[in-house]
Amino acid sequence: MAALVFPPELLVQAQGQGLGLKAVIFDVDGVLTDGRIYMDDSGERFKAFSTLDGHGLKSLQACGIEPIVITGRDSPAVRRRMADLGLKHAAYGARDKLAVAEPLLASLGLAWGEVGAMGDDWPDLPLMRRAALAVAPPGAHPEVLAVAHHVTRAAAGHGAARECCDLVLMAAGRYTALLDGHLDTLDGSAPAP
């Protein structure tokens, strides 16, 4: 039995249209990180990512829900983290996130009713307003909070994206099976019969 609980109306929203959400778009700065950018004289050097968020993104993948990253900045640290997580779809340095998202979703055969989006600032609003499920961390800009269907309890860079992933997995009816797999084995695979 899962200890995590979401309100029923939020779970219905998170189901999206048809057979449920098939992808979730995530911003990086202010969602997968706490929004701070560490720089020295030679430019950006590093970012801090949460392993909770990483596990959530991998859990989406394991259930056939595509995690997509569209970020306005480009950095070696972000590229490395997305590669380490095995994300197939990531766009870096996107000035217009909608212009990047629409052809990507079309290439995947997805409509906005099958997509969730998590963001924290104005550049994320076009995605969040079109998505079936819009999620924001608590420190997001007020205009973003106003369009969010769910504001996470966890802060950005500290499990907020994981909370979004858990919500989507729970709405898809996949959360409990994933959790049960991790209770039985170290790697989360199903135990032998």
Side-chain angles (χ1 to χ4, degrees), residues 45-70:
R45 304 306 288 172
F46 67 92
K47 293 179 182 286
F49 295 94
S50 168
T51 57
L52 287 171
D53 293 339
H55 189 80
L57 296 173
K58 290 185 82 55
S59 295
L60 286 180
Q61 287 175 311
C63 290
I65 300 168
E66 199 67 50
I68 298 169
V69 166
I70 301 178

Side-chain angles (χ1 to χ4, degrees), residues 27 31 70 97 118-129:
D27 179 30
V31 172
I70 301 178
K97 293 184 179 188
M118 184 170 187
D120 71 311
D121 208 344
W122 289 8
D124 305 309
L125 284 170
L127 306 179
M128 295 176 70
R129 289 176 45 91

Side-chain angles (χ1 to χ4, degrees), residues 23-105:
V24 182
I25 301 170
F26 295 90
D27 179 30
V28 174
D29 294 319
V31 172
L32 294 177
T33 74
D34 65 8
R36 293 185 287 176
I37 299 171
Y38 298 91
M39 299 182 84
D40 63 13
D41 292 339
S42 62
E44 188 174 331
R45 304 306 288 172
F46 67 92
K47 293 179 182 286
F49 295 94
S50 168
T51 57
L52 287 171
D53 293 339
H55 189 80
L57 296 173
K58 290 185 82 55
S59 295
L60 286 180
Q61 287 175 311
C63 290
I65 300 168
E66 199 67 50
I68 298 169
V69 166
I70 301 178
T71 178
R73 295 181 55 83
D74 191 359
S75 75
V78 174
R79 285 180 181 262
R80 171 71 188 267
R81 180 63 175 150
M82 298 312 114
D84 288 350
L85 292 173
L87 265 65
K88 295 180 216 165
H89 305 287
Y92 309 98
R95 294 179 57 92
D96 181 342
K97 293 184 179 188
L98 184 60
V100 170
E102 292 202 317
L104 174 59
L105 295 179

